[in-house]
Amino acid sequence: MGQIEWAMWANEQALASGLILVAGGIVATVGRFAQWYFGAYSIAAGALVCLLEYPRGRRRKGSTMERCGQKYVAAAVKLFGPLTRNYYVRAVLHLLLSVPAGFLLATILGTVCLAIASVIYLLAAIRGEQWLPIESKPKERPQAEDIKPPPSNPPPRPPAEARKKPNEDEVAAGGNPQVNPIPVTDEVV
Amino acid sequence: HWFSVLILVVWIGLNVFLFVQTFLKYEKSDEYYYTREILGTALAVARASARCLNFNSMLILVPVCRNLLSFLRGTCSFCNRTLRKPLDQNLTFHKLVAYAICIFTAIHIIAHLFNFERYHTSQQAKDGSLASVLSGLSHHEKYGGSWLNPFQSPNMTVLYVTFTSIAGLTGEIGTVALILMVTSAMEFIRRHYFELFWFTHHLFIVYFLCLALHGFGRIVRGQTKDSMKESHPHKCAQSFEKWDHHDSHCRPPQFEGNPPESWKWIVAPVILYIFERILRLLRSQQRVMITEVVMHPSKVLELQMTKQGFSMEVGQYILVKCPSISLLEWHPFTLTSAPEEVFFPIHVRAAGDWTENLIRAFEQHHSPVPRIQVDGPFGTVSEDVFQYEVAVLVGAGIGVTPFASILKSIWYKFQRADHNLKIQKIYFYWICRETGAFSWFNDLMISLEQEMEELGKVGFLNYRLFLTGWDSNIAGHAALNFDKATDILTGLKQKTYFGRPKWENEFSTIATAHPKSVVGVFLCGPQTLGKEPAQMLSPIFQSRSR
C-alpha cells in the first residue's frame, strides 16, 4: 500500500478527463446547444490536458512502459521544466481548466473527472512525487565487440635447437615432426 | 477454442438484437409518437443503448464469482475439455463486457444530451408548433400528470433539471464511478499498484446502486393506452391546435412514465455476487494450521499448511491473507504440492512489501506464529497433462510452480501404480534467468531424478534447464567441468543449457521421436517467453496452450 504512486493514477484520470472534455465539447458545438461556446472552450482545454498528460512519467522503481509515440510529446513537456515537473502546478492548472466546462451539461462530466484528477495530483504533490521523463536506454553495444579477437601471435614454439631432430626419415620427409610407425619410402619409378 | 468463440458470437449477437429491437420499438411505435415529435431519433438511440447497458451490467458480475466458476469447473470435470476453456477466460470476458458498458454509456449520454437540449428548446419555443404545445402540457396534479416534457418552465436550465431529477443525478454519479473504475483498472495501474485498482474497483457498488435507481423518476414518457384509444396520434396529431376546443374529437394526449426496469436485470447477479463475497468470508474464517515453515535460500519461504475440508487439484492456486500484515490484502500463490499429499504448501518469494513482511515475520520465529487465512483453491486444473501419452511442459520463471505440483503428482501416481496414467514420457523445459530463487525446485528435480531411477523409469522424465542470464564466467566454468557426471550449477544429471531454447529443433526432435502419439504441450510463464514456442507449434503437431 505504501508504494502507490498516486501521480500515475492521476495521469490516467486526467487523460480520460481530457478525452471526455473533447467529446462533450464536440457534441455541444456540433449540436449547437445553448451556450455552445463553452463546448468550444472544452475542446481546446481537453486537447491541452491530453497533450500535457500523454507522456507518462517515470516510475520510482523499475522500468516504465511508455505510451505509443510519447517521446515527441515528452520532449515538448520537458521544456517547461518545473511547471510540468511539479504536481502542485498541475493540480491547480487542472482545477482552473475544469471550471468553465462546468457551465454546460455536455461537458460537466469532464469537469468533475478533471477536478478529481486535480485532487489526486494534489495528494501526489503532498507526498513529494514529481514528473520525470522516461530516459531512453542507451543502445546495446553490438555483440561483435564481446567476442574476443583471434590470436595475433603464433603459438609459442620451443627454441630452434630443440626443434631440430637428428632423424634421417625426418629429414627425408622434409622436417616433419611426425613419427611414422611403418617406414615410409618414396617409391619413385 | 471454438466454444469461447461461440460464446463471444452469442454475446455480440444478443447485444445487436437488443439494440435493434429496442431502437425500432421507440422509433416506430405509436406510443412514443408525441415523444418523438420533440426528441427525434435520439430517443430511440438512448433507449436502445440503455437496454444494452442493462444487459451488460447483468453479465459483468458473473465472471468474477470465482467460487461459482470453481463449482462449475468441478461438476464439469467429466465434460469435454473444451467447455472448461471459457471458464479460464473469465477475466477476459469481464473486461470485454466492461468495454461494452463504456461504449454504450457514451452513446447513451450523447443521445440524452440531445434529448435534454431538445426538451429545453421546445419548452422555450413560442411558435405554437406541436412540440411546444406538447411541452405546455401541464404538470399540475389536477390534470393527472399528463405532462410530457420534464422542463416545466422556460426558466429551467438543462443543468438544473439534470441535477434535480433522479435520472440525471444517478446518471452523473454512476458515470463518474464508472470512469474512476476504468482509469484505475488500466493495465499499468493494475500491474504496479494493484491495491489501488482493487479498492477503487469497489466503486461498482455505487455504479449498481445508481443504475438500479436511475429509472425511478419515470422520465421517459409515452402515451397511455386509454389516451391512445380515445385520441390516437394518427388521427389527432394533425389537429393539435384544436385539442382544447369543445367540439374537437381529440383530447390532449395523456402520458405516463415507463416503469424502471434496470433493477430487474441486475437483481439476480447482485444477489449471486453477495453470496460469493459471503462465501469468501466464511471460507477465510476457517482455521488454517501451519504444519511446517521452511526457509529456502534466496529468501524463499515455504509454508506448509492444512485446513479442514480442503481439497485441491494439480496446478491450482490459493489466495492468502495475513491479518497481522494487512487486514485487506489477499495474494495469490500457486500450490506446489500434489493433491495426494495431506498438507498444501506455498513457496513465497520476496516480490513486494507484503511478501517481504511475511518472510520477515516468519524468519523472526515469533510465537505464536502469525495467523494465515486461505481462500480457494481456484484456477484451472492442469490434470489434462495426465491424459496425454507424451507431454511437453515448459515452465518459464515463476511459471515453474504449477509444474512442481504436476511432477509430484505424477510421482505419487507411479508409486501407487496408477494404471489410469496414460503418460509415458515427459519433456520438461525449465527456463529462468538464474536458479537462485528456485533452488527448492532444483531440489525437487534432484529427488525426482533419484526416485525415477529407483522405480526403474530412467527415461521417463527428460528435462532441460535453460539459464537465460548467463555470462562468460558461468559459460567458461561449465566448459571446464564438461566431463563431470552432474551439472555444476544444479547438481542434476542433465546438463544446463544457456540462452533460450531453439523451439523448432526441440519440437521436431520430439515429433520424430513420437510419430504416432498425441503430444500435449503446456506452457506456464510470462507472455514474452510463451509466444515463441506457441508460434512454433502449429505447423508441427496438434497442441493446446494456456
Side-chain angles (χ1 to χ4, degrees):
Chain A
M1 256 305 229
Q3 291 183 355
I4 294 179
E5 290 181 64
W6 294 94
M8 295 297 157
W9 182 31
N11 170 265
E12 301 280 345
Q13 179 67 16
L15 191 59
S17 313
L19 292 169
I20 293 171
L21 280 172
V22 171
I26 292 177
V27 169
T29 317
V30 164
R32 277 289 197 268
F33 289 178
Q35 297 181 308
W36 62 270
Y37 37 85
F38 281 116
Y41 162 82
S42 181
I43 298 175
L48 176 65
V49 168
C50 283
L51 277 174
L52 175 61
E53 297 293 338
Y54 190 72
R56 195 178 269 146
R58 200 192 327 148
R59 280 174 61 218
R60 252 185 261 144
K61 276 200 302 191
S63 63
T64 314
M65 243 340 246
E66 280 193 354
R67 288 204 180 100
C68 181
Q70 80 168 46
K71 284 201 289 263
Y72 311 104
V73 192
V77 169
K78 256 195 287 191
L79 287 174
F80 288 88
L83 280 181
T84 45
R85 213 172 34 230
N86 188 303
Y87 284 143
Y88 281 110
V89 173
R90 277 201 205 199
V92 169
L93 176 71
H94 287 328
L95 195 60
L96 292 176
L97 281 177
S98 67
V99 167
F103 288 97
L104 207 58
L105 179 65
T107 51
I108 199 169
L109 187 64
T111 299
V112 175
C113 289
L114 194 56
I116 292 176
S118 161
V119 169
I120 307 173
Y121 265 130
L122 187 64
L123 179 59
I126 291 173
R127 285 168 47 92
E129 296 174 30
Q130 29 175 11
W131 188 85
L132 296 162
I134 300 174
E135 307 293 339
S136 54
K137 278 202 265 267
K139 278 183 90 167
E140 283 187 28
R141 290 178 309 135
Q143 293 292 337
E145 287 184 30
D146 284 330
I147 298 173
K148 294 196 177 65
S152 48
N153 295 324
R157 292 157 79 183
E161 308 84 63
R163 257 186 281 148
K164 229 196 295 180
K165 292 207 176 149
N167 196 330
E168 274 184 22
D169 292 304
E170 201 72 60
V171 172
N176 197 325
Q178 182 181 309
V179 175
N180 294 320
I182 304 167
V184 174
T185 49
D186 188 30
E187 288 185 317
V188 179
V189 179
Chain B
H1 295 297
W2 67 270
F3 198 68
S4 308
V5 175
L6 179 67
I7 292 181
L8 198 67
V9 167
V10 168
W11 173 68
I12 295 177
L14 280 172
N15 273 303
V16 170
F17 170 73
L18 284 169
F19 192 93
V20 172
Q21 187 208 32
T22 316
F23 181 87
L24 289 175
K25 172 180 170 194
Y26 282 86
E27 186 68 359
K28 300 278 180 229
S29 86
D30 297 326
E31 231 179 304
Y32 302 100
Y33 183 96
Y34 291 120
T35 326
R36 282 198 298 276
E37 190 57 42
I38 304 181
L39 299 178
T41 312
L43 169 72
V45 173
R47 297 308 308 149
S49 53
R51 175 127 326 146
C52 289
L53 274 174
N54 284 337
F55 173 61
N56 285 299
S57 300
M58 171 184 80
L59 288 180
I60 200 162
L61 281 176
V62 177
V64 287
C65 293
R66 45 172 191 249
N67 282 300
L68 168 71
L69 297 184
S70 281
F71 173 73
L72 282 177
R73 206 178 265 129
T75 49
C76 229
S77 62
F78 299 108
C79 305
N80 199 348
R81 263 175 234 144
T82 347
L83 286 173
R84 276 189 276 133
K85 180 81 166 139
L87 289 175
D88 290 351
Q89 296 172 317
N90 59 333
L91 285 180
T92 313
F93 188 62
H94 179 83
K95 287 182 220 173
L96 217 57
V97 175
Y99 285 132
I101 287 181
C102 291
I103 294 174
F104 284 122
T105 304
I107 298 174
H108 185 76
I109 293 178
I110 293 175
H112 272 318
L113 286 173
F114 279 98
N115 286 338
F116 262 39
E117 191 66 20
R118 286 175 188 170
Y119 266 146
H120 176 59
T121 321
S122 46
Q123 176 58 254
Q124 297 192 317
K126 303 234 182 314
D127 54 3
S129 62
L130 174 56
S132 65
V133 168
L134 287 169
S135 302
L137 290 174
S138 186
H139 283 242
H140 279 280
E141 289 297 327
K142 73 177 194 184
Y143 293 110
S146 66
W147 59 275
L148 174 60
N149 192 332
F151 286 70
Q152 297 177 21
S153 82
N155 298 336
M156 283 186 185
T157 60
V158 165
L159 277 174
Y160 176 83
V161 174
T162 304
F163 288 101
T164 51
S165 63
I166 297 178
L169 204 57
T170 55
E172 289 287 339
I173 296 176
T175 312
V176 171
L178 179 68
I179 292 170
L180 287 172
M181 273 197 278
V182 169
T183 56
S184 59
M186 292 275 110
E187 170 126 24
F188 183 74
I189 306 280
R190 257 186 301 131
R191 202 153 282 268
H192 302 299
Y193 317 106
F194 190 83
E195 297 92 353
L196 177 64
F197 152 68
W198 178 240
F199 295 128
T200 319
H201 225 63
H202 282 79
L203 281 170
F204 75 86
I205 300 173
V206 173
Y207 171 79
F208 274 98
L209 216 61
C210 288
L211 180 64
L213 294 172
H214 192 61
F216 274 82
R218 299 185 188 231
I219 202 171
V220 179
R221 302 183 65 90
Q223 203 176 1
T224 62
K225 282 211 173 51
D226 292 332
S227 172
M228 291 209 349
K229 242 188 286 183
E230 191 188 35
S231 336
H232 198 275
H234 285 170
K235 78 177 156 107
C236 292
Q238 305 305 321
S239 55
F240 65 90
E241 286 125 348
K242 300 209 215 91
W243 281 342
D244 283 326
H245 293 186
H246 295 290
D247 52 354
S248 157
H249 296 286
C250 292
R251 300 256 70 88
Q254 304 278 313
F255 296 97
E256 63 183 354
N258 286 355
E261 69 170 64
S262 295
W263 68 270
K264 295 180 202 163
W265 290 84
I266 62 175
V267 69
V270 165
I271 290 177
L272 200 67
Y273 190 75
I274 292 175
F275 274 147
E276 161 76 29
R277 293 301 286 253
I278 292 175
L279 187 61
R280 286 186 203 177
L281 189 67
L282 288 176
R283 286 173 75 156
S284 70
Q285 297 301 334
Q286 289 172 323
R287 271 197 99 212
V288 174
M289 302 275 292
I290 300 181
T291 54
E292 208 172 315
V293 177
V294 183
M295 278 301 294
H296 289 282
S298 298
K299 287 189 84 89
V300 173
L301 169 73
E302 179 181 348
L303 285 177
Q304 295 183 0
M305 304 175 270
T306 53
K307 186 172 148 191
Q308 213 182 14
F310 186 86
S311 81
M312 61 166 278
E313 302 291 335
V314 284
Q316 291 197 302
Y317 67 93
I318 51 168
L319 287 165
V320 175
K321 179 162 104 174
C322 189
S324 57
I325 298 177
S326 167
L327 278 173
L328 296 165
E329 293 177 36
W330 286 91
H331 292 257
F333 292 97
T334 308
L335 292 163
T336 42
S337 64
E340 289 87 352
E341 287 170 320
V342 173
F343 57 88
F344 55 95
I346 53 167
H347 285 75
V348 181
R349 271 190 325 150
D353 48 354
W354 189 86
T355 37
E356 278 172 20
N357 285 332
L358 187 75
I359 293 174
R360 210 178 305 135
F362 279 92
E363 248 178 350
Q364 288 165 355
H365 301 292
H366 281 156
S367 92
V369 175
R371 225 182 104 224
I372 297 274
Q373 292 179 353
V374 162
D375 192 11
F378 301 111
T380 190
V381 173
S382 315
E383 65 178 21
D384 296 343
V385 181
F386 307 131
Q387 312 292 344
Y388 291 92
E389 272 178 31
V390 180
V392 176
L393 309 176
V394 182
I398 189 73
V400 89
T401 31
F403 294 119
S405 173
I406 292 173
L407 290 171
K408 277 195 209 175
S409 183
I410 289 179
W411 180 76
Y412 274 105
K413 289 193 191 328
F414 270 138
Q415 267 230 310
R416 297 172 188 183
D418 188 346
H419 295 291
N420 289 335
L421 201 59
K422 275 163 82 174
I423 195 154
Q424 298 297 320
K425 213 162 177 69
I426 295 183
Y427 293 91
F428 181 66
Y429 291 86
W430 182 17
I431 307 167
C432 58
R433 218 168 267 155
E434 41 96 43
T435 53
F438 302 105
S439 58
W440 60 270
F441 189 76
N442 210 3
D443 297 335
L444 170 67
M445 295 297 280
I446 294 178
S447 66
L448 273 177
E449 205 177 27
Q450 288 169 344
E451 310 280 2
M452 292 301 165
E453 272 185 37
E454 279 171 26
L455 284 173
K457 286 189 170 288
V458 178
F460 174 75
L461 177 61
N462 301 284
Y463 57 90
R464 303 206 190 342
L465 164 60
F466 288 83
L467 285 183
T468 54
W470 60 279
D471 59 22
S472 38
N473 277 333
I474 298 178
H477 206 42
L480 282 172
N481 290 299
F482 183 74
D483 293 331
K484 286 232 182 81
T486 53
D487 187 78
I488 30 138
L489 285 170
T490 56
L492 294 162
K493 290 248 171 64
Q494 303 253 4
K495 292 302 169 103
T496 307
Y497 291 75
F498 296 99
R500 290 191 190 180
K502 283 206 166 69
W503 291 114
E504 226 175 287
N505 295 344
E506 303 289 341
F507 289 150
S508 13
T509 322
I510 298 173
T512 36
H514 303 273
K516 295 223 178 63
S517 323
V518 175
V519 181
V521 181
F522 297 84
L523 294 155
C524 186
Q527 257 189 335
T528 41
L529 279 167
K531 250 194 287 187
E532 210 201 312
Q535 279 167 353
M536 288 289 144
L537 279 172
S538 13
I540 299 180
F541 42 51
Q542 185 185 58
S543 67
R544 209 199 124 206
S545 67
R546 335 170 354 202

